[in-house]
Amino acid sequence: MTIAIITHSDCLKHEMGIGHPERPQRIRAIEDQLITSGIGDFMHYYDAPLATPEQLELAHSRKHIDYIFGKSPPDDSMMAHIDPDTFMNEFTLQAALRSAGSAISAVDKVLGDKTEKRVFCNVRPAGHHAERDAAMGFCFFNNAAIAARHAVRDYGLERVAIVDFDVHHGNGTEDIVGDDPQILFCSTYQHPLYPERALPSKPGFLINAPLPEGAGGAEFRETITEHWLPELNAFKPQLVIISAGFDAHLEDEMAGLRLVEADYAWVTKELRKIADEYSEGRIISLLEGGYDTSALARSVVAHLKVLMNI
């Protein structure tokens, strides 16, 4: 099976300073590994469009949207500080709009013109920490929440699942969709670790499944099997959206989990089974974290190979 890749060169122009872990090389490393692995020839490539302010309002308040637009620096002489580790250069706004636009475009491809079944958005900045009224944690707009709300509002879906295996909890996604009966949010993450905002699980709405520092593949697989899969099967999602963060890899120094490529392949296979059973195979995967570029690129390829049934 082929897979669509949505990306844009604007995502390479967003910079948050020398030495910042969220850097353009992340995208380049993935692109290089797609070529090296040989699977790049079996993909359909698309440019990410710019999300409109109206589309951003699917997940964010107008006040937040206006704030981010207003903070955008006019030139390269300055950088805007959003929080202690989240910054904007003159290209950040365009990149963030491309990231959100990629998620919207992915929904259109699998539900609208139905040209694709599975889509990976190789974009940055990521989105899962962006709350309805706040940017934080390297994130400005919540791509996953925007995509899910777009699928519900504009295509009439009744049940959309967002699943997040980033090493950090998807607090922004929880904030936006945690009480939405049409969207099930499942998250696994290291605890304790930034941002420490996870709420108790609420079956049918929100499933938070924390892992302790040092946990590896066995604990990860047990947690997914025990907490995610029963809820996903009960929910029967018509679309699966993955917040695909790869910073739980043992080579990634951002945190302390010990996953490897085989673990990402395993969870992707389990999610593919869910999508094949209830969603006509439709899966949208959105890049979130992953800061060791080699581990990130290898893990993305392992993830995509399973989505492609290779």
Side-chain angles (χ1 to χ4, degrees):
M1 175 183 287
T2 58
I3 190 170
I5 302 289
I6 303 178
T7 189
H8 200 280
S9 59
D10 283 351
C11 295
L12 297 170
K13 299 176 184 177
H14 163 54
E15 297 265 14
M16 292 197 285
I18 296 172
H20 198 288
E22 211 294 85
R23 57 201 191 278
Q25 287 82 357
R26 299 174 65 236
I27 299 292
R28 294 193 182 100
I30 293 170
E31 292 173 341
D32 290 345
Q33 192 67 26
L34 291 178
I35 295 170
T36 301
S37 68
I39 67 173
D41 293 337
F42 301 95
M43 298 176 174
H44 301 152
Y45 291 87
Y46 300 92
D47 278 343
L50 294 166
T52 67
E54 291 71 27
Q55 290 170 325
L56 299 177
E57 283 188 281
L58 287 165
H60 298 286
S61 66
R62 175 59 71 163
K63 180 180 179 181
H64 171 68
I65 296 164
D66 289 345
Y67 172 76
I68 296 299
F69 272 72
K71 290 288 284 186
S72 182
D75 53 48
D76 63 1
S77 66
M78 59 185 297
M79 185 171 286
H81 289 216
I82 304 300
D83 76 3
D85 55 17
T86 308
F87 314 103
M88 297 178 72
N89 71 354
E90 61 179 314
F91 303 109
T92 298
L93 179 60
Q94 287 287 105
L97 294 175
R98 296 287 185 193
S99 289
S102 76
I104 292 164
S105 177
V107 172
D108 291 338
K109 292 187 186 309
V110 301
L111 293 174
D113 57 31
K114 299 183 179 179
T115 55
E116 306 289 349
K117 280 282 190 182
R118 293 170 187 165
V119 182
F120 177 67
C121 296
N122 188 22
V123 291
R124 55 183 290 278
H128 75 150
H129 290 310
E131 298 181 345
R132 173 175 168 77
D133 293 305
M136 58 183 289
F138 314 165
C139 302
F140 301 89
F141 303 120
N142 195 301
N143 307 324
I146 291 167
R149 288 271 173 82
H150 178 43
V152 169
R153 185 192 71 176
D154 297 313
Y155 291 101
L157 294 196
E158 298 176 347
R159 299 178 307 280
V160 177
I162 302 174
V163 294
D164 185 332
F165 50 71
D166 192 278
V167 80
H168 302 96
H169 177 247
N171 62 290
T173 311
E174 177 182 279
D175 176 67
I176 295 165
V177 307
D179 291 320
D180 190 328
Q182 294 178 291
I183 302 172
L184 172 66
F185 178 52
C186 299
S187 181
T188 187
Y189 49 92
Q190 181 180 323
H191 171 77
L193 189 68
Y194 176 93
E196 289 301 311
R197 296 190 183 191
L199 297 173
S201 293
K202 184 164 60 172
F205 294 83
L206 171 68
I207 303 300
N208 280 326
L211 290 164
E213 182 177 0
E219 296 91 340
F220 175 74
R221 297 182 192 207
E222 181 181 359
T223 295
I224 298 297
T225 301
E226 179 179 349
H227 296 284
W228 282 20
L229 299 185
E231 287 290 329
L232 288 165
N233 278 296
F235 188 70
K236 298 178 172 59
Q238 297 163 297
L239 174 65
V240 175
I241 298 172
I242 303 173
S243 276
F246 299 94
D247 40 3
H249 196 284
L250 67 84
E251 294 175 19
D252 198 308
E253 296 181 355
M254 230 9 193
L257 296 188
R258 302 180 59 78
L259 303 190
V260 295
E261 293 91 323
D263 298 311
Y264 293 117
W266 176 86
V267 70
T268 306
K269 185 175 182 180
E270 294 302 312
L271 296 173
R272 192 187 72 196
K273 291 177 186 176
I274 296 291
D276 287 343
E277 179 71 20
Y278 306 114
S279 311
E280 299 179 18
R282 297 183 294 242
I283 299 176
I284 293 168
S285 180
L286 309 170
L287 181 65
E288 301 284 1
Y291 304 100
D292 181 283
T293 54
S294 177
L296 168 65
R298 300 192 319 266
S299 298
V300 168
V301 166
H303 174 61
L304 295 182
K305 282 183 175 180
V306 175
L307 292 182
M308 297 168 71
N309 295 337
I310 296 176

